Amino acid sequence: MRASNAGSLREATPNADRSVRAVVAPAPKESTTKKEKKGSAEARALERVVSAAREVQAASLRLEAHYAGDSHEQPSTLGLARFAAAMQELKDPREAFDVLVEK
């Protein structure tokens, strides 16, 4: 009985199969959109921020290791300079990322 009901339903709606396929079939993919370009630019900017943050962390760990030995001894000028440079290298990509996100 189900087969006959299905057959009569198809006869009543001959275009039903086409409309279902049209709804289910994905739309053709367009070339890279502005949203995708912005997303990839944001991803690259975020990668630069992460990389710079790792450099800051490494410089900080070197300073902490220095203080672990003798907390009264001054850190080396080179160690402080590396840390300051790493912080600056983090600042620039963060600002660039913020500009991208605000667009």
Side-chain angles (χ1 to χ4, degrees):
M1 288 223 165
R2 286 186 174 181
S4 63
N5 286 343
S8 63
L9 181 59
R10 283 191 188 129
E11 291 170 7
T13 55
N15 294 326
D17 287 338
R18 283 188 219 141
S19 64
V20 169
R21 273 187 247 126
V23 170
V24 174
K29 188 164 185 162
E30 296 179 16
S31 62
T32 306
T33 63
K34 281 185 177 182
K35 187 175 182 181
E36 289 172 339
K37 286 180 183 177
K38 181 180 179 185
S40 64
E42 287 174 354
R44 285 190 305 273
L46 190 55
E47 287 173 9
R48 287 190 296 272
V49 170
V50 169
S51 177
R54 286 185 180 136
E55 290 297 321
V56 168
Q57 184 180 23
S60 176
L61 289 173
R62 284 190 292 271
L63 286 175
E64 286 179 20
H66 176 80
Y67 280 112
D70 184 6
S71 61
H72 299 291
E73 187 179 334
Q74 291 291 330
S76 70
T77 304
L78 181 59
L80 290 173
R82 284 182 178 159
F83 183 73
M87 290 296 291
Q88 184 61 42
E89 289 296 317
L90 176 59
K91 181 183 173 196
D92 296 339
R94 284 191 62 184
E95 289 174 352
F97 180 75
D98 289 343
V99 168
L100 279 173
V101 171
E102 289 176 2
K103 286 184 181 180

